[in-house]
Amino acid sequence: MTANIHHGRIGPNSIIRVAEALEAAHGTAAVTELLNRAELSRYLDAMPTEMVLEGEAIALQQALRAQLGIPAARAVARDAGLRTGDYLLANRIPRSAQRLLKILPARMAARVLLKAIRGNAWTFVGTGIFDAEPKFPPMIFITNSLICRGETADEPLCDYYVGTFERLFRQLVHKKAVVTEIACHAKGDHRCVFEVHW
């Protein structure tokens, strides 16, 4: 298991891609409302370029659900995750590594990808804890997920992670990969669990 030792800071994609997805679905005014509601109005002039406090991402997700309601917020969060996956593929995962993963058998590629995700988990789980099981179907576990932290719901809420993981698995492991959150702390589960099928 990987625990964060970086004092609750995560990558700025958690803010930037949510704003992009919200603007695409609901317009610029909705982004202004969201950032004001989350007390992040300082990002109205310029999005963050460095690591952000995880509390900002938590506040943003809570504000998104309050503003749109859970179903629409989940759709925006999932799109933000897909956009984050696209950013990682374009800017963070070396092309040589991507080429290698694409030619490996899917189960082996999944194992390699999960190892790489584990090594960078501190950049997206904050003070949460990341773990993964590469057997088939691969499973991803996040304890104390910042996406649903402090929330109670009848449905899973970590769609941002679902979108990110699914984009990476579809591009690098198997084009028909589907990621499903089968347990969520918001529903009372011990941890959030994501299952990957293809």
CSV table of all heavy atoms in Angstrom, one decimal, residues 131-168:
chain,number,residue,atom,x,y,z
A,131,ASP,N,-3.9,1.3,-3.1
A,131,ASP,CA,-3.4,-0.1,-3.2
A,131,ASP,C,-4.0,-0.6,-4.5
A,131,ASP,O,-5.0,-0.1,-5.0
A,131,ASP,CB,-3.8,-0.9,-2.0
A,131,ASP,CG,-3.0,-2.1,-1.8
A,131,ASP,OD1,-2.0,-2.3,-2.6
A,131,ASP,OD2,-3.3,-3.0,-1.0
A,132,ALA,N,-3.4,-1.7,-5.0
A,132,ALA,CA,-4.0,-2.3,-6.2
A,132,ALA,C,-3.7,-3.8,-6.2
A,132,ALA,O,-2.7,-4.3,-5.6
A,132,ALA,CB,-3.4,-1.7,-7.5
A,133,GLU,N,-4.5,-4.6,-6.9
A,133,GLU,CA,-4.3,-6.0,-7.0
A,133,GLU,C,-4.4,-6.3,-8.5
A,133,GLU,O,-5.4,-6.2,-9.2
A,133,GLU,CB,-5.4,-6.8,-6.3
A,133,GLU,CG,-5.4,-8.3,-6.5
A,133,GLU,CD,-4.1,-8.9,-6.2
A,133,GLU,OE1,-3.6,-8.9,-5.1
A,133,GLU,OE2,-3.4,-9.4,-7.2
A,134,PRO,N,-3.2,-6.7,-9.1
A,134,PRO,CA,-3.2,-6.9,-10.6
A,134,PRO,C,-3.8,-8.2,-11.1
A,134,PRO,O,-3.8,-8.4,-12.3
A,134,PRO,CB,-1.7,-6.8,-10.8
A,134,PRO,CG,-1.0,-7.3,-9.6
A,134,PRO,CD,-1.9,-6.9,-8.5
A,135,LYS,N,-4.3,-9.1,-10.3
A,135,LYS,CA,-4.9,-10.3,-10.8
A,135,LYS,C,-6.1,-9.9,-11.7
A,135,LYS,O,-6.5,-8.7,-11.7
A,135,LYS,CB,-5.4,-11.2,-9.7
A,135,LYS,CG,-6.5,-10.6,-8.8
A,135,LYS,CD,-6.9,-11.5,-7.7
A,135,LYS,CE,-7.9,-10.9,-6.8
A,135,LYS,NZ,-9.1,-10.4,-7.5
A,136,PHE,N,-6.7,-10.8,-12.4
A,136,PHE,CA,-7.8,-10.5,-13.3
A,136,PHE,C,-9.1,-10.8,-12.5
A,136,PHE,O,-9.3,-11.9,-12.0
A,136,PHE,CB,-7.7,-11.2,-14.6
A,136,PHE,CG,-8.7,-10.7,-15.6
A,136,PHE,CD1,-8.5,-9.6,-16.3
A,136,PHE,CD2,-10.0,-11.3,-15.7
A,136,PHE,CE1,-9.4,-9.1,-17.2
A,136,PHE,CE2,-10.9,-10.8,-16.6
A,136,PHE,CZ,-10.6,-9.7,-17.4
A,137,PRO,N,-10.1,-9.8,-12.5
A,137,PRO,CA,-9.9,-8.5,-13.0
A,137,PRO,C,-9.1,-7.6,-12.1
A,137,PRO,O,-9.1,-7.8,-10.9
A,137,PRO,CB,-11.4,-8.0,-13.1
A,137,PRO,CG,-12.0,-8.7,-12.0
A,137,PRO,CD,-11.4,-10.1,-11.9
A,138,PRO,N,-8.3,-6.7,-12.7
A,138,PRO,CA,-7.5,-5.8,-11.8
A,138,PRO,C,-8.4,-5.0,-10.9
A,138,PRO,O,-9.5,-4.6,-11.3
A,138,PRO,CB,-6.8,-4.9,-12.8
A,138,PRO,CG,-6.7,-5.7,-14.1
A,138,PRO,CD,-8.0,-6.5,-14.1
A,139,MET,N,-7.9,-4.8,-9.7
A,139,MET,CA,-8.7,-4.0,-8.7
A,139,MET,C,-7.8,-2.9,-8.2
A,139,MET,O,-6.6,-3.1,-7.9
A,139,MET,CB,-9.1,-4.9,-7.5
A,139,MET,CG,-9.8,-6.2,-7.9
A,139,MET,SD,-11.5,-5.9,-8.3
A,139,MET,CE,-12.3,-5.9,-6.7
A,140,ILE,N,-8.4,-1.7,-8.0
A,140,ILE,CA,-7.8,-0.6,-7.4
A,140,ILE,C,-8.5,-0.2,-6.2
A,140,ILE,O,-9.7,-0.2,-6.1
A,140,ILE,CB,-7.7,0.6,-8.4
A,140,ILE,CG1,-6.9,0.2,-9.7
A,140,ILE,CG2,-7.2,1.9,-7.8
A,140,ILE,CD1,-7.1,1.2,-10.8
A,141,PHE,N,-7.8,0.1,-5.1
A,141,PHE,CA,-8.4,0.5,-3.8
A,141,PHE,C,-7.9,1.8,-3.4
A,141,PHE,O,-6.6,2.1,-3.4
A,141,PHE,CB,-8.0,-0.6,-2.8
A,141,PHE,CG,-8.2,-2.0,-3.2
A,141,PHE,CD1,-7.1,-2.8,-3.7
A,141,PHE,CD2,-9.4,-2.6,-3.1
A,141,PHE,CE1,-7.3,-4.1,-4.1
A,141,PHE,CE2,-9.7,-3.9,-3.5
A,141,PHE,CZ,-8.6,-4.7,-4.0
A,142,ILE,N,-8.8,2.7,-2.9
A,142,ILE,CA,-8.4,4.0,-2.4
A,142,ILE,C,-9.1,4.1,-1.0
A,142,ILE,O,-10.3,4.1,-1.0
A,142,ILE,CB,-8.7,5.1,-3.3
A,142,ILE,CG1,-7.9,5.0,-4.6
A,142,ILE,CG2,-8.3,6.5,-2.6
A,142,ILE,CD1,-8.2,6.1,-5.6
A,143,THR,N,-8.3,4.2,0.0
A,143,THR,CA,-8.8,4.4,1.4
A,143,THR,C,-8.8,5.9,1.7
A,143,THR,O,-7.8,6.5,1.4
A,143,THR,CB,-8.0,3.6,2.4
A,143,THR,OG1,-8.0,2.2,2.0
A,143,THR,CG2,-8.6,3.8,3.8
A,144,ASN,N,-9.9,6.4,2.2
A,144,ASN,CA,-10.0,7.9,2.5
A,144,ASN,C,-9.9,8.7,1.2
A,144,ASN,O,-9.1,9.7,1.2
A,144,ASN,CB,-8.9,8.3,3.5
A,144,ASN,CG,-9.2,9.5,4.3
A,144,ASN,OD1,-10.4,9.9,4.4
A,144,ASN,ND2,-8.2,10.2,4.8
A,145,SER,N,-10.6,8.3,0.2
A,145,SER,CA,-10.6,9.0,-1.0
A,145,SER,C,-11.0,10.5,-0.9
A,145,SER,O,-12.1,10.8,-0.2
A,145,SER,CB,-11.6,8.4,-2.0
A,145,SER,OG,-11.9,9.2,-3.1
A,146,LEU,N,-10.2,11.4,-1.4
A,146,LEU,CA,-10.6,12.8,-1.3
A,146,LEU,C,-11.7,13.2,-2.2
A,146,LEU,O,-12.4,14.2,-1.9
A,146,LEU,CB,-9.3,13.7,-1.5
A,146,LEU,CG,-8.7,13.6,-2.9
A,146,LEU,CD1,-9.3,14.5,-3.9
A,146,LEU,CD2,-7.2,13.9,-2.8
A,147,ILE,N,-12.1,12.4,-3.2
A,147,ILE,CA,-13.2,12.7,-4.0
A,147,ILE,C,-14.5,12.6,-3.3
A,147,ILE,O,-15.4,13.4,-3.6
A,147,ILE,CB,-13.2,11.8,-5.3
A,147,ILE,CG1,-11.9,12.0,-6.1
A,147,ILE,CG2,-14.4,12.1,-6.2
A,147,ILE,CD1,-11.6,13.4,-6.6
A,148,CYS,N,-14.6,11.7,-2.4
A,148,CYS,CA,-15.9,11.5,-1.7
A,148,CYS,C,-15.8,11.8,-0.2
A,148,CYS,O,-16.7,11.5,0.6
A,148,CYS,CB,-16.5,10.1,-1.9
A,148,CYS,SG,-15.5,8.8,-1.1
A,149,ARG,N,-14.6,12.3,0.2
A,149,ARG,CA,-14.4,12.5,1.7
A,149,ARG,C,-15.4,13.4,2.3
A,149,ARG,O,-15.8,14.5,1.8
A,149,ARG,CB,-13.0,13.1,1.9
A,149,ARG,CG,-12.5,13.0,3.3
A,149,ARG,CD,-11.1,13.4,3.5
A,149,ARG,NE,-10.2,12.5,2.7
A,149,ARG,CZ,-8.9,12.8,2.5
A,149,ARG,NH1,-8.4,13.9,3.0
A,149,ARG,NH2,-8.1,12.0,1.7
A,150,GLY,N,-16.0,13.0,3.4
A,150,GLY,CA,-17.0,13.7,4.1
A,150,GLY,C,-18.4,13.7,3.6
A,150,GLY,O,-19.3,14.3,4.1
A,151,GLU,N,-18.6,12.8,2.5
A,151,GLU,CA,-19.9,12.8,1.9
A,151,GLU,C,-20.6,11.5,2.2
A,151,GLU,O,-20.0,10.4,2.6
A,151,GLU,CB,-19.7,12.8,0.4
A,151,GLU,CG,-19.1,14.1,-0.1
A,151,GLU,CD,-20.1,15.3,-0.2
A,151,GLU,OE1,-20.4,15.8,0.9
A,151,GLU,OE2,-20.5,15.7,-1.3
A,152,THR,N,-21.9,11.5,2.2
A,152,THR,CA,-22.8,10.3,2.3
A,152,THR,C,-23.7,10.3,1.1
A,152,THR,O,-24.3,11.3,0.8
A,152,THR,CB,-23.6,10.4,3.6
A,152,THR,OG1,-22.7,10.5,4.7
A,152,THR,CG2,-24.4,9.1,3.8
A,153,ALA,N,-23.8,9.1,0.5
A,153,ALA,CA,-24.7,9.0,-0.7
A,153,ALA,C,-25.1,7.5,-0.8
A,153,ALA,O,-24.6,6.6,-0.2
A,153,ALA,CB,-23.9,9.4,-1.9
A,154,ASP,N,-26.1,7.4,-1.7
A,154,ASP,CA,-26.6,6.0,-2.0
A,154,ASP,C,-26.0,5.4,-3.2
A,154,ASP,O,-26.3,4.3,-3.6
A,154,ASP,CB,-28.2,6.1,-2.2
A,154,ASP,CG,-28.9,6.5,-1.0
A,154,ASP,OD1,-28.5,6.2,0.1
A,154,ASP,OD2,-30.0,7.2,-1.1
A,155,GLU,N,-25.0,6.1,-3.8
A,155,GLU,CA,-24.3,5.7,-5.0
A,155,GLU,C,-22.8,6.1,-4.9
A,155,GLU,O,-22.5,7.0,-4.1
A,155,GLU,CB,-25.0,6.3,-6.2
A,155,GLU,CG,-25.0,7.8,-6.2
A,155,GLU,CD,-25.9,8.4,-7.2
A,155,GLU,OE1,-25.6,8.2,-8.4
A,155,GLU,OE2,-26.9,9.0,-6.9
A,156,PRO,N,-22.0,5.4,-5.6
A,156,PRO,CA,-20.6,5.8,-5.6
A,156,PRO,C,-20.3,7.1,-6.2
A,156,PRO,O,-21.0,7.6,-7.1
A,156,PRO,CB,-19.9,4.7,-6.4
A,156,PRO,CG,-21.0,4.1,-7.3
A,156,PRO,CD,-22.3,4.3,-6.5
A,157,LEU,N,-19.3,7.8,-5.6
A,157,LEU,CA,-19.1,9.2,-6.1
A,157,LEU,C,-17.8,9.5,-6.7
A,157,LEU,O,-17.5,10.6,-7.1
A,157,LEU,CB,-19.3,10.2,-4.8
A,157,LEU,CG,-20.6,10.2,-4.1
A,157,LEU,CD1,-20.5,11.2,-3.0
A,157,LEU,CD2,-21.7,10.6,-5.1
A,158,CYS,N,-16.9,8.5,-6.8
A,158,CYS,CA,-15.5,8.8,-7.2
A,158,CYS,C,-15.3,8.7,-8.7
A,158,CYS,O,-14.4,8.0,-9.2
A,158,CYS,CB,-14.5,7.9,-6.5
A,158,CYS,SG,-14.6,8.1,-4.7
A,159,ASP,N,-16.2,9.3,-9.5
A,159,ASP,CA,-16.2,9.2,-10.9
A,159,ASP,C,-15.0,9.9,-11.5
A,159,ASP,O,-14.6,9.5,-12.6
A,159,ASP,CB,-17.5,9.9,-11.5
A,159,ASP,CG,-18.7,9.1,-11.0
A,159,ASP,OD1,-19.1,8.1,-11.6
A,159,ASP,OD2,-19.3,9.5,-10.0
A,160,TYR,N,-14.4,10.8,-10.8
A,160,TYR,CA,-13.2,11.5,-11.4
A,160,TYR,C,-12.1,10.4,-11.5
A,160,TYR,O,-11.4,10.3,-12.5
A,160,TYR,CB,-12.7,12.6,-10.4
A,160,TYR,CG,-11.4,13.2,-10.8
A,160,TYR,CD1,-11.3,14.1,-11.9
A,160,TYR,CD2,-10.2,12.8,-10.2
A,160,TYR,CE1,-10.1,14.7,-12.2
A,160,TYR,CE2,-9.0,13.4,-10.5
A,160,TYR,CZ,-8.9,14.3,-11.6
A,160,TYR,OH,-7.7,14.9,-11.9
A,161,TYR,N,-11.9,9.5,-10.5
A,161,TYR,CA,-11.0,8.4,-10.6
A,161,TYR,C,-11.4,7.4,-11.6
A,161,TYR,O,-10.5,6.9,-12.4
A,161,TYR,CB,-10.8,7.7,-9.2
A,161,TYR,CG,-10.1,8.6,-8.2
A,161,TYR,CD1,-10.5,8.5,-6.8
A,161,TYR,CD2,-9.1,9.4,-8.5
A,161,TYR,CE1,-9.9,9.2,-5.8
A,161,TYR,CE2,-8.4,10.2,-7.5
A,161,TYR,CZ,-8.8,10.0,-6.2
A,161,TYR,OH,-8.2,10.7,-5.2
A,162,VAL,N,-12.7,7.1,-11.7
A,162,VAL,CA,-13.2,6.2,-12.7
A,162,VAL,C,-12.8,6.6,-14.1
A,162,VAL,O,-12.2,5.8,-14.9
A,162,VAL,CB,-14.7,6.0,-12.6
A,162,VAL,CG1,-15.2,5.2,-13.8
A,162,VAL,CG2,-15.1,5.3,-11.3
A,163,GLY,N,-13.0,7.9,-14.4
A,163,GLY,CA,-12.7,8.4,-15.7
A,163,GLY,C,-11.2,8.4,-16.0
A,163,GLY,O,-10.8,8.0,-17.1
A,164,THR,N,-10.4,8.7,-15.0
A,164,THR,CA,-8.9,8.7,-15.2
A,164,THR,C,-8.4,7.3,-15.5
A,164,THR,O,-7.7,7.1,-16.4
A,164,THR,CB,-8.2,9.4,-14.0
A,164,THR,OG1,-8.7,10.7,-13.8
A,164,THR,CG2,-6.7,9.4,-14.2
A,165,PHE,N,-8.8,6.4,-14.6
A,165,PHE,CA,-8.3,5.0,-14.7
A,165,PHE,C,-8.8,4.4,-16.1
A,165,PHE,O,-8.0,3.7,-16.7
A,165,PHE,CB,-8.8,4.2,-13.6
A,165,PHE,CG,-8.2,4.6,-12.2
A,165,PHE,CD1,-9.0,4.4,-11.1
A,165,PHE,CD2,-7.0,5.1,-12.1
A,165,PHE,CE1,-8.5,4.8,-9.8
A,165,PHE,CE2,-6.5,5.5,-10.8
A,165,PHE,CZ,-7.2,5.3,-9.7
A,166,GLU,N,-10.0,4.7,-16.4
A,166,GLU,CA,-10.6,4.1,-17.6
A,166,GLU,C,-9.9,4.6,-18.9
A,166,GLU,O,-9.5,3.8,-19.8
A,166,GLU,CB,-12.1,4.3,-17.7
A,166,GLU,CG,-12.7,3.5,-18.9
A,166,GLU,CD,-14.2,3.5,-18.8
A,166,GLU,OE1,-14.8,2.8,-18.0
A,166,GLU,OE2,-14.9,4.3,-19.5
A,167,ARG,N,-9.6,5.9,-18.9
A,167,ARG,CA,-8.8,6.4,-20.1
A,167,ARG,C,-7.5,5.7,-20.2
A,167,ARG,O,-7.0,5.3,-21.3
A,167,ARG,CB,-8.7,7.9,-20.0
A,167,ARG,CG,-7.9,8.5,-21.1
A,167,ARG,CD,-8.7,8.4,-22.4
A,167,ARG,NE,-9.5,9.6,-22.6
A,167,ARG,CZ,-10.8,9.6,-23.1
A,167,ARG,NH1,-11.3,8.5,-23.5
A,167,ARG,NH2,-11.4,10.7,-23.3
A,168,LEU,N,-6.8,5.6,-19.1
A,168,LEU,CA,-5.4,5.0,-19.1
A,168,LEU,C,-5.5,3.5,-19.5
A,168,LEU,O,-4.7,3.1,-20.4
A,168,LEU,CB,-4.7,5.2,-17.8
A,168,LEU,CG,-4.4,6.6,-17.3
A,168,LEU,CD1,-3.8,6.6,-16.0
A,168,LEU,CD2,-3.6,7.3,-18.4
